[in-house]
Amino acid sequence: MVLQTWLLYLIAVIGLAFAPGPNGLLALTHGVLYGRSKAIWTIIGGVLGFVVVIALSMFGIGAIIQTSPSALNILKWVGGAYLIWLGIQLWRTPPVNLIISEKAIAEKKRSALFMQGATAAVSNPKVLLFFGAFLPQFIDPQISLLTQFFVMALTFSVVEFAVEFMLASVSIYIGPWLEKRGQRFNQICGGLFVIIGIALPLTQ
């Protein structure tokens, strides 16, 4: 990939990373609930999930889904159901309490946070379709596809990690406020997940 093409790709990826989405919202929420040191596992899971999506898109799965309405519908319903379930869990989460939070931090497994981040990334078929349409604009047929995949995936991973880590870090400073109004915050975040989950399978 030539430098000019990579710079254009970098600018596009930065814009994509800052666009509101389930994984950014999840990083923010987990940063508040479990702290930055544990939220980082959510972020890592999400980034690796996106790498899988990029790989699937670049190697043809995105094109298959675009030509198969039944496969797309199945993925939409599965992804939507997961996001709804995740939203309900967030809605029911009690307000942050500094004493309770310490216990929650100790008990919450890193593997569970990792899987939530990864599943949120790979369960959204619109992301797969987006990458299926987005990445080919930057692919050079004269260069090894595998090499380009590593460059694109690494670039996206670094940018996405930085943005989500920033969200998780900022969330720490609003902890005291959330002790008083945390239930409303959790309901708003959970409600957004539910809305996304409902809209996902209904999107044509």
Side-chain angles (χ1 to χ4, degrees):
M1 178 181 289
V2 298
L3 179 60
Q4 182 178 358
T5 302
W6 179 79
L7 289 175
L8 291 174
Y9 174 76
L10 176 62
I11 294 173
V13 165
I14 292 174
L16 177 62
F18 275 102
N23 282 82
L25 184 60
L26 199 60
L28 178 65
T29 304
H30 283 184
V32 172
L33 294 177
Y34 309 117
R36 181 173 58 185
S37 62
K38 282 208 169 182
I40 195 172
W41 291 98
T42 304
I43 299 171
I44 293 173
V47 169
L48 292 180
F50 280 125
V51 170
V52 171
V53 173
I54 292 174
L56 293 175
S57 299
M58 290 192 69
F59 294 105
I61 302 300
I64 295 176
I65 291 181
Q66 285 181 325
T67 59
S68 176
S70 59
L72 177 58
N73 288 334
I74 291 173
L75 284 178
K76 280 186 175 183
W77 285 107
V78 171
Y82 173 76
L83 291 176
I84 291 173
W85 176 85
L86 190 59
I88 293 173
Q89 299 302 309
L90 288 174
W91 181 283
R92 298 172 60 184
T93 301
V96 172
N97 180 284
L98 294 181
I99 297 177
I100 298 176
S101 181
E102 290 297 326
K103 182 179 179 181
I105 291 173
E107 293 180 348
K108 192 67 175 181
K109 293 182 178 180
R110 295 173 179 176
S111 59
L113 297 176
F114 177 89
M115 287 304 300
Q116 281 194 343
T119 307
V122 302
S123 65
N124 188 343
K126 292 181 68 176
V127 174
L128 182 57
L129 292 176
F130 175 82
F131 278 119
F134 173 74
L135 294 177
Q137 302 180 46
F138 301 94
I139 293 177
D140 186 345
Q142 305 300 321
I143 303 176
S144 166
L145 185 62
L146 186 61
T147 300
Q148 293 180 85
F149 162 72
F150 282 121
V151 172
M152 290 183 175
L154 180 61
T155 300
F156 181 87
S157 298
V158 171
V159 172
E160 184 69 18
F161 181 90
V163 171
E164 291 191 20
F165 184 77
M166 179 191 68
L167 290 174
S169 300
V170 170
S171 69
I172 297 174
Y173 300 103
I174 61 176
W177 177 83
L178 290 174
E179 283 190 295
K180 297 180 179 180
R181 299 179 176 84
Q183 187 68 49
R184 179 62 60 187
F185 174 80
N186 293 338
Q187 290 175 348
I188 291 174
C189 291
L192 289 175
F193 271 103
V194 170
I195 291 172
I196 294 172
I198 294 173
L200 191 59
L202 298 178
T203 302
Q204 300 297 323

